[in-house]
Amino acid sequence: TRNSEGDFVQLKSGKILFVYSRFTGGMSDHAAAQLVSRSSSDGGRTWSDTERLLVDRGAALNVMSVSLLRLQDGRIALFYLRKTSLADCRPVVCFSSDEAKTWTPPAEIIPAEHVAYYVLNNDRVVQLSSGRIVVPVALHGNVGEKSQTDWAGKLTSYQSDDGGVQWHASQTLQPAHAPDGSRVHAQEPGILEMNSGRLMMWFRTNAGEQYQCFSDDEGETWGATQPMGLASPTSPASIERIPSTGDLLAVWNDLSHLEVEQRKLRTPLAVAISQDEGQSWTTPQPIASDPQGWYCYTAIDFVSEPLAG
């Protein structure tokens, strides 16, 4: 009924592996879902006809929202959300040392004593130049309160300095506020390492644009939230660095032609480039613009040319 929230990684063979959420129990974010994969041998132009079941949901409500990351030590890390209930949704991680043929059992990033409803969006996990792995999450609720869900969200991150064995939480757990002091939604954050070593966290809001905050200590603490100038509905953006140029690439639902109160639909899907570390962006160019379209939960990967044959 729904395929969504996936991510890509290029294997050493040249193939691209795409892992995504396949919903079988309905369209809801809380419906039954599994993780499945397809592959491409021609740089993403075509994909395998059949899906391979990668992670079943087991006793959980679902598993969803994939981040794939090639680590500096050569392993592939697979992050996803395991949603046991509306009071327990936490990211887990598996590792593969044989190019995604086999995976380690899922390991928790957020311990059971901190159980709550966390959201790690797809294509969000990064490894910094220092080797630290950073997982951005939005907490929806208070730890230990099973009946109190706060969909507006609070921002934080989890870090690992030993390749994903041990994790620790950021000291910062914060809601987002507009310049006038009113609270806005802080949902589905992403992270980018800037050339200075500073980290930028961006996230979707209900304020008609994307917001951001920064960390000067690799995620240990995060500064105050602020608008970042990308007009959008309540829908996530994707931002990554272009390897060949060093520029930033943003993909999101550009609604800059509409007034804030009209920024509702997740169409069109647009792309823009920043040559000054996100301070300004080129004029957005549409990728897909069907007025009836619903474009969201994108993933970006920069791949080398596929192997011949």
Side-chain angles (χ1 to χ4, degrees):
T1 56
R2 166 183 165 187
N3 297 309
S4 53
E5 298 102 7
D7 199 7
F8 308 96
V9 68
Q10 187 168 28
L11 305 178
K12 292 179 179 178
S13 66
K15 284 187 176 182
I16 303 171
L17 178 69
F18 182 37
V19 181
Y20 56 96
S21 315
R22 178 179 68 185
F23 285 77
T24 59
M27 297 292 288
S28 166
D29 285 345
H30 311 305
Q34 307 162 316
L35 301 185
V36 298
S37 68
R38 294 177 187 260
S39 62
S40 173
S41 299
D42 56 9
R45 295 174 181 86
T46 62
W47 294 89
S48 53
D49 293 330
T50 57
E51 300 169 321
R52 173 192 171 197
L53 177 62
L54 200 63
V55 180
D56 201 356
R57 68 186 180 96
L61 288 178
N62 65 32
V63 289
M64 62 179 292
S65 292
V66 175
S67 288
L68 287 167
L69 184 63
R70 172 76 70 177
L71 299 176
Q72 293 170 7
D73 62 14
R75 294 178 299 158
I76 300 172
L78 166 67
F79 298 83
Y80 61 91
L81 285 176
R82 183 170 61 194
K83 188 181 304 180
T84 302
S85 69
L86 295 185
D88 184 1
C89 178
R90 289 175 289 157
V92 298
V93 61
C94 307
F95 300 97
S96 177
S97 298
D98 57 8
E99 293 303 286
K101 295 182 178 67
T102 61
W103 299 89
T104 60
E108 292 180 344
I109 294 170
I110 301 173
E113 56 265 31
H114 293 162
V115 63
Y117 196 104
Y118 298 83
V119 171
L120 167 65
N121 201 23
N122 65 303
D123 191 18
R124 289 307 205 223
V125 182
V126 298
Q127 186 172 30
L128 308 181
S129 54
S130 66
R132 169 172 283 194
I133 304 171
V134 186
V135 176
V137 294
L139 170 62
H140 298 281
N142 295 318
V143 173
E145 294 187 10
K146 297 184 181 299
S147 61
Q148 299 297 320
T149 303
D150 173 19
W151 293 118
K154 297 177 181 178
L155 303 166
T156 192
S157 60
Y158 281 77
Q159 289 73 235
S160 175
D161 294 312
D162 58 7
V165 177
Q166 301 179 79
W167 297 88
H168 67 276
S170 169
Q171 300 172 38
T172 304
L173 176 61
Q174 66 174 341
H177 293 93
D180 64 3
S182 61
R183 189 177 180 190
V184 299
H185 290 181
Q187 300 172 335
E188 300 174 347
I191 287 179
L192 178 80
E193 183 176 18
M194 307 183 76
N195 287 330
S196 64
R198 198 182 199 198
L199 302 187
M200 176 179 71
M201 177 188 286
W202 77 92
F203 52 96
R204 80 175 199 182
T205 74
N206 62 336
E209 66 177 300
Q210 301 286 315
Y211 272 46
Q212 63 187 2
C213 59
F214 297 92
S215 173
D216 293 312
D217 52 17
E218 296 193 331
E220 296 297 327
T221 59
W222 293 91
T225 61
Q226 60 192 54
M228 67 177 297
L230 293 181
S232 76
T234 306
S235 181
S238 295
I239 304 175
E240 295 200 11
R241 190 175 300 281
I242 303 172
S244 60
T245 65
D247 298 336
L248 301 185
L249 174 75
V251 177
W252 82 107
N253 303 119
D254 170 50
L255 297 183
S256 57
H257 59 291
L258 298 176
E259 298 296 326
V260 170
E261 61 273 10
Q262 297 177 311
R263 297 172 185 172
K264 305 294 183 183
L265 301 180
R266 293 175 172 177
T267 183
L269 188 68
V271 60
I273 291 173
S274 174
Q275 297 180 319
D276 55 12
E277 295 292 273
Q279 296 182 55
S280 63
W281 298 88
T282 58
T283 301
Q285 301 297 318
I287 299 173
S289 54
D290 183 347
Q292 303 301 315
W294 197 251
Y295 308 107
C296 50
Y297 297 100
T298 55
I300 302 171
D301 200 19
F302 297 91
V303 299
S304 59
E305 284 297 314
L307 300 178

